[in-house]
Amino acid sequence: MHMGSESELVTFFVSAEDHGKRLDVVLASLLDGHSRSRCQALIRTGALSIDGATISEPKYRVKQDQQLCFAEPAPTDADPEPQDIPLNVLFEDDAIIVIDKPAGMVVHPAASVEKDTLVNALLFHCGDSLKGIGGVKRPGIVHRLDKDTSGVMIAAKTDEAHRSLSAQFADHGKNGPLRRTYNAFVWGVPDPEAGTIDAMIGRSTHNRTKQAIVEKNGRHAVTHYKTLMAFGGNAWTVSKIACQLETGRTHQIRVHLAHIGHALLGDPTYGIGFESRERNLPMLVQKSLKSLTRQALHAVDLTIAHPVSGAKMHFSSPFPTDMENLEKTLQTADS
């Protein structure tokens, strides 16, 4: 539902798990890409109402089933500005740049995040040559990773490269070498241990900031998964899995795995209801999971055809420290 050209209204309801929590904490958990400090600022400007009454106090305690209405500010018209942000560059030539994106970095500016994004960093690193490639707002971007998903990403540095890479990602590897592999840690052990999840994804009817499995008006989504290792026993089980995407929907892996009962560890949005399992984990694993502060999802491999030469190219990224530590503690606890 829209409110003119200045803002968009998003509506959701307070869950039982969020009853009694601070308003700013709940809002930050529900709005992807919004920090808690950003939510506090928006609440103070009167951007949020509860059951029809504007609430401007971030520490207000919410109650189950209350209706929260948030007036999302309209996107900024300003062009992204170059920022000197360090990048872990895996490969670069005149046509493409491949980076290892850290968790916590948003890919491109939006109304809620206007700076410190990957696009700002790429504009500084690549200079004026990147401006306008594929559009002013998202120069060079041909695919995305969630803010709190780490791993391999590629961007185009020319219009020719942008057209080629966009076509490859749209084709999802059906007629070319494109291949994307993600590693994740999930609750439980999938049964079967390898399989395909084919379920349409669309906006949740209860919370427009979330995606959900829908029967009507959704988008075709297919995820292939394979269990690589299982940890634990009778008291607790966690699995390391690999996922291949046949489609590229928003939050696809997170939504699909939660749908089959194996939500990602650390996922604050789609792991609701799985938090109670944390207390069954060995203390060493509990500490490692608390230090993760995000969903345990990493884009580990990317294969493409070079947009100019056509050569098959493969790029990979090892686990960042937080996921490496989680895996080590799971191995230790399982031994």
Side-chain angles (χ1 to χ4, degrees):
M1 179 168 60
H2 291 81
M3 296 178 62
S5 60
E6 295 183 354
S7 62
E8 181 179 354
L9 190 68
V10 290
T11 301
F12 43 88
F13 294 87
V14 177
S15 65
E17 292 82 2
D18 287 334
H19 177 80
K21 291 183 180 179
R22 284 174 55 120
L23 178 58
D24 56 347
V25 173
V26 173
L27 193 62
S29 70
L30 294 173
L31 298 179
D32 190 36
H34 291 60
S35 67
R36 183 174 171 184
S37 60
R38 172 64 174 166
C39 287
Q40 289 173 348
L42 290 169
I43 291 168
R44 291 190 179 103
T45 64
L48 188 134
S49 65
I50 297 181
D51 291 339
T54 300
I55 303 295
S56 57
E57 180 49 67
K59 64 182 180 182
Y60 174 88
R61 300 285 176 173
V62 301
K63 299 178 179 63
Q64 183 179 352
D65 296 329
Q66 282 183 323
Q67 184 184 52
L68 310 186
C69 293
F70 173 66
E72 178 73 52
T76 177
D77 290 330
D79 294 344
E81 294 294 331
Q83 286 182 271
D84 186 4
I85 302 170
L87 290 173
N88 184 1
V89 179
L90 302 178
F91 175 85
E92 183 176 12
D93 62 12
D94 291 339
I96 60 174
I97 179 170
V98 183
I99 63 103
D100 193 349
K101 187 188 89 67
M105 175 179 273
V106 176
V107 171
H108 56 75
S112 58
V113 183
E114 299 179 1
K115 60 181 181 178
D116 300 326
T117 72
L118 177 60
V119 162
N120 297 111
L122 288 173
L123 285 170
F124 183 90
H125 181 89
C126 300
D128 291 341
S129 62
L130 191 67
K131 287 189 175 181
I133 302 300
V136 174
K137 302 298 182 185
R138 304 177 184 181
I141 301 300
V142 293
H143 71 123
R144 294 188 299 169
L145 295 179
D146 293 345
K147 171 189 173 184
D148 288 326
T149 298
S150 52
V152 184
M153 273 198 67
I154 187 170
K157 296 175 65 177
T158 67
D159 283 324
E160 178 187 6
H162 192 276
R163 287 192 295 270
S164 173
L165 291 174
S166 295
Q168 290 184 57
F169 277 93
D171 185 63
H172 301 294
K174 295 182 180 66
N175 300 294
L178 182 84
R179 189 177 181 87
R180 290 180 286 171
T181 304
Y182 295 75
N183 280 175
F185 292 99
V186 302
W187 294 106
V189 181
D191 183 16
E193 293 187 356
T196 297
I197 307 168
D198 186 343
M200 291 197 300
I201 292 177
R203 283 195 180 274
S204 168
T205 56
H206 302 290
N207 182 348
R208 292 194 63 228
T209 66
K210 294 175 62 175
Q211 302 296 307
I213 302 300
V214 296
E215 295 183 1
K216 297 180 179 179
N217 302 319
R219 301 183 71 187
H220 179 58
V222 178
T223 303
H224 305 285
Y225 72 89
K226 178 181 179 181
T227 304
L228 302 177
M229 190 172 297
F231 307 92
N234 294 329
W236 62 277
T237 53
V238 168
S239 297
K240 177 183 179 181
I241 67 171
C243 291
Q244 299 280 346
L245 294 182
E246 190 173 310
T247 55
R249 309 305 178 206
T250 301
H251 300 173
Q252 179 174 319
I253 292 175
R254 298 163 64 188
V255 174
H256 269 173
L257 290 174
H259 174 63
I260 65 169
H262 300 285
L264 272 64
L265 269 65
D267 192 331
T269 303
Y270 303 102
I272 295 174
F274 289 82
E275 301 96 327
S276 60
R277 301 190 185 191
E278 291 186 24
R279 59 174 172 263
N280 295 324
L281 295 172
M283 188 57 63
L284 185 68
V285 180
Q286 288 188 40
K287 291 181 179 179
S288 182
L289 183 55
K290 288 184 184 300
S291 67
L292 186 68
T293 68
R294 65 176 178 109
Q295 66 263 8
L297 182 61
H298 181 71
V300 66
D301 287 307
L302 174 65
T303 301
I304 61 155
H306 191 276
V308 178
S309 69
K312 183 178 178 179
M313 304 186 75
H314 176 79
F315 307 100
S316 62
S317 164
F319 275 165
T321 301
D322 57 357
M323 286 190 62
E324 182 182 26
N325 288 341
L326 177 60
E327 182 170 34
K328 287 180 179 178
T329 56
L330 285 167
Q331 291 169 342
T332 299
D334 192 52
S335 61

